Amino acid sequence: MKLKVAVLFGGKSTEHEISIISAIQAIGYIDRDKYEVIPVYMTKNNDFYVGEYVDKIEEYTHIPELIKKSTQVVWIKEGDKVSLVRYPMKKFGNNVITTVDVAFPIVHGTNVEDGTLQGYLATMGLPVVGCDVLSSAVGMNKYVMKTVLKDNGIPVLDCKCYTWKDYEDVDALVAKIEAAFTYPVIIKPLNLGSSIGIKKASDRDGLLEALDLGFEFSKKILVEPAITALKEINCSVLGDYESAEASECEEPINSDDILSFEDKYIGGAKGSAKGGAKTGGSKGMASLKRKIPADITAEMRDEIRKMAVDAFICLGCSGVSRIDFMIDMDTNKVYLNEINTIPGSLSFYLWEPVGVKYDVLLDRMIQLALKADRESHKVVYSFETNVLEGVHLGGGSKGAKG
């Protein structure tokens, strides 16, 4: 019997549309001889929909129309079985649309990639493809991620974190930043991806503009020095805490100092996805202008690939992640920039050059989720105790006094 894999995408995120592209690409390559695929679209209100049209990229040019001809569902757990159930339920007849064996979130950004969705799915006891709650949350929070990596000897740029409270006195905030850093600096939202809200500042006026932009998208922002002689290198990692391997390295070609949202997803993004989605449509991250392999020495390639695997295991990741690096060409020093726990297009284009086809990549990700689920059943989650015997709560007491 085939395993039923629910592929979730969309959600309440600034990267909603990119998630749709990534997921529909992947859906076209999951092995249908082994898995029954259930596409599950999440609206920007985090409502769940299924139906015959939700895996068709062309339908997303008119999402309200797509919703009208799809079925809203909720997740119901009964014993060991998890089902997608029609909502609102009909008074008569069967409301169960399908059962689900494995959840495969292909989502990007805050509220979905950051552990929120992973926790919801894990609470129902479903095997979840990719990173768990903790590694997803740490990977999304750039400040926490850097702190953990730095504590484990992985080189990252120094940074400072500031909040909306700091932003209330913007002059004092600017003074703090100028005392901590010399220009140029990079301002980025703490928990977003796809280069949204990121801006380089070369002077005070630029800093004020960058702060306005960053705080528009997040309650917290990160400030770090900008590398002026910068080469960006990305590398993907596949595996889990026990064993992981690195992909080929790529060198993105950007049109500005910072690789923008437009560089990543819009420039040349339309057309059939050769080597990508069988369903056609946008190529997503696969459309990005890049050099594969990256124009770096063999020694630098080895260093970056090793560092990528070390960081992946250090953060407790699983499945496929993409790790982005920066090389300071003046010093030839490598810094880890950030990790994408669910990368755009699942970084399939970085695995094909090392002989891992997209369908194989997806299969290995699902199998890693099943392995993690098997291991979770070996852990004891209950403890027999008589602590509740004889407890009497009353009189406004917060607990039983001994």
Side-chain angles (χ1 to χ4, degrees), residues 37 87 117 151 170 187 193 200 302 312 316 362 365 369:
V37 180
Y87 181 84
L117 180 60
D151 205 39
V170 69
I187 309 297
K200 180 179 176 181
D302 290 343
F312 182 92
L362 294 165
M365 293 178 70

Side-chain angles (χ1 to χ4, degrees), residues 19-246:
S19 168
I20 294 169
I21 296 170
S22 292
I24 292 177
Q25 282 179 324
I27 286 168
Y29 273 89
I30 296 177
D31 187 348
R32 301 306 173 96
D33 291 332
K34 294 179 67 173
Y35 307 109
E36 179 181 336
V37 180
I38 306 153
V40 182
Y41 170 59
M42 299 171 60
T43 70
K44 291 186 178 181
N45 291 322
N46 283 341
D47 297 322
F48 299 94
Y49 283 86
V50 298
E52 62 177 302
Y53 300 103
V54 297
D55 62 344
K56 307 294 189 293
I57 190 68
E58 61 273 11
E59 295 289 337
Y60 289 90
T61 56
H62 301 287
I63 291 178
E65 294 301 315
L66 171 62
I67 294 301
K68 288 179 183 178
K69 54 189 179 182
S70 301
T71 302
Q72 187 173 356
V73 292
V74 292
W75 299 78
I76 301 293
K77 178 176 172 60
E78 294 182 299
D80 294 331
K81 184 179 295 185
V82 178
S83 301
L84 290 173
V85 177
R86 184 190 313 274
Y87 181 84
M89 297 182 187
K90 299 184 297 183
K91 290 184 178 180
F92 304 101
N94 183 19
N95 286 292
V96 176
I97 302 298
T98 183
T99 56
V100 175
D101 298 312
V102 181
F104 195 155
I106 306 181
V107 289
H108 307 311
T110 310
N111 300 316
V112 282
E113 188 184 354
D114 58 3
T116 305
L117 180 60
Q118 290 75 9
Y120 173 69
L121 296 168
T123 299
M124 291 183 289
L126 276 172
V128 180
V129 177
C131 290
D132 64 9
V133 176
L134 180 59
S135 54
S136 296
V138 171
M140 183 60 65
N141 187 305
K142 295 177 174 65
Y143 183 74
V144 174
M145 177 206 70
K146 285 193 170 203
T147 301
V148 173
L149 294 177
K150 187 175 183 179
D151 205 39
N152 284 273
I154 296 174
V156 295
L157 289 174
D158 290 335
C159 65
K160 295 287 186 181
C161 180
Y162 300 101
T163 69
W164 272 353
K165 182 66 177 176
D166 298 306
Y167 187 49
E168 289 176 1
D169 187 345
V170 69
D171 291 333
L173 175 56
V174 167
K176 288 179 183 178
I177 294 171
E178 289 182 334
F181 301 98
T182 57
Y183 291 109
V185 294
I186 297 289
I187 309 297
K188 57 179 71 172
L190 192 70
N191 55 355
L192 292 185
S194 295
S195 301
I196 294 171
I198 296 179
K199 193 171 181 64
K200 180 179 176 181
S202 299
D203 53 33
R204 181 170 293 187
D205 288 340
L207 177 58
L208 290 168
E209 292 178 7
L211 290 171
D212 289 342
L213 178 64
F215 280 118
E216 182 180 344
F217 290 101
S218 179
K219 294 187 293 184
K220 295 182 180 181
I221 56 100
L222 204 68
V223 183
E224 60 187 28
I227 297 175
T228 52
L230 173 66
K231 181 191 284 279
E232 295 180 85
I233 303 294
N234 300 336
C235 181
S236 181
V237 178
L238 168 66
D240 63 6
Y241 72 99
E242 286 189 319
S243 176
E245 60 185 287

